[in-house]
Amino acid sequence: MKYKLHNFFQNGNLFKGFTLVELMLVFAVTGIITALGVTSFGSYNTTQQFGTSVSEFTNFVSTTRSKAISQVKPPVCSSAPLDGYKVTITASGRDYEQDVVCGNVSYLISKKQLSTQLSFANGSANSLFFDVSTGTISNPGSVAITGFGKTNTITTDKIGNISIANGFSVTPMPTSPPNYT
């Protein structure tokens, strides 16, 4: 391999590297690109955290409805008649729970919490009750989840359909599995 010697010499002296201005320019550009990447990642992370919490709550409501339709009576009910299942939002603004209602008495099945910096908005429904066997809801309502400057509203109608509104569009949740026959 032949090297051209005149590339390694400048004005008769050996060229020994980059100037200070060139190095400062490279580090400045690298710093700007890094700063943009970190902020973009932070924004992406909060968007994902918000979306995950909304999806988890929506699935929780959908699972509660499915349990009501299935008429599975948990052992905690013993001999009391199964009335239905409900999702209750607790006073803390971040906790929500799934209850079974047997003979007009509620029993806790499971409890969850929204991610930090997220909460249920004021004016959201305190509970959503799904009647046994039909899965219809006796108190249709909306639950809004807020945080990170975003708000999504999960709405249930009288027949138990669940939809999510994020200010731009409304996405209905499937109410039953597709029929492939």
Side-chain angles (χ1 to χ4, degrees), residues 62-78:
S62 183
T63 301
T64 304
R65 180 176 184 261
S66 295
K67 285 183 177 183
I69 292 170
S70 71
Q71 303 179 32
V72 174
K73 184 176 173 182
V76 72
C77 288
S78 61

Side-chain angles (χ1 to χ4, degrees), residues 5-171:
L5 288 179
H6 65 84
N7 287 342
F8 292 106
F9 291 96
Q10 186 175 21
N11 297 333
N13 296 327
L14 184 61
F15 180 65
K16 296 191 180 206
F18 301 101
T19 65
L20 182 59
V21 172
E22 290 171 332
L23 289 173
M24 287 175 56
L25 182 65
V26 167
F27 285 120
V29 169
T30 304
I32 291 169
I33 291 171
T34 302
L36 291 173
V38 167
T39 30
S40 294
F41 178 74
S43 174
Y44 173 77
N45 192 23
T46 57
T47 300
Q48 292 301 313
Q49 186 177 2
F50 182 76
T52 299
S53 291
V54 169
S55 292
E56 284 178 359
F57 179 75
T58 305
N59 289 337
F60 194 77
V61 172
S62 183
T63 301
T64 304
R65 180 176 184 261
S66 295
K67 285 183 177 183
I69 292 170
S70 71
Q71 303 179 32
V72 174
K73 184 176 173 182
V76 72
C77 288
S78 61
S79 63
L82 177 63
D83 298 327
Y85 287 83
K86 71 178 180 176
V87 174
T88 305
I89 298 171
T90 58
S92 75
R94 288 186 50 221
D95 297 328
Y96 55 99
E97 61 187 45
Q98 185 180 67
D99 301 319
V100 61
V101 181
C102 304
N104 291 326
V105 178
S106 293
Y107 299 97
L108 177 67
I109 295 176
S110 66
K111 189 172 188 175
K112 291 193 174 190
Q113 190 174 57
L114 292 175
S115 299
T116 23
Q117 299 180 350
L118 297 179
S119 63
F120 293 105
N122 291 337
S124 293
N126 292 333
S127 68
L128 303 168
F129 180 79
F130 294 94
D131 292 321
V132 70
S133 78
T134 62
T136 58
I137 191 163
S138 57
N139 56 340
S142 297
V143 177
I145 298 177
T146 62
F148 303 118
K150 300 172 177 30
T151 301
N152 274 15
T153 304
I154 296 94
T155 305
T156 54
D157 63 14
K158 188 90 173 139
I159 59 173
N161 292 326
I162 303 164
S163 60
I164 303 170
N166 62 10
F168 301 108
S169 62
V170 176
T171 307

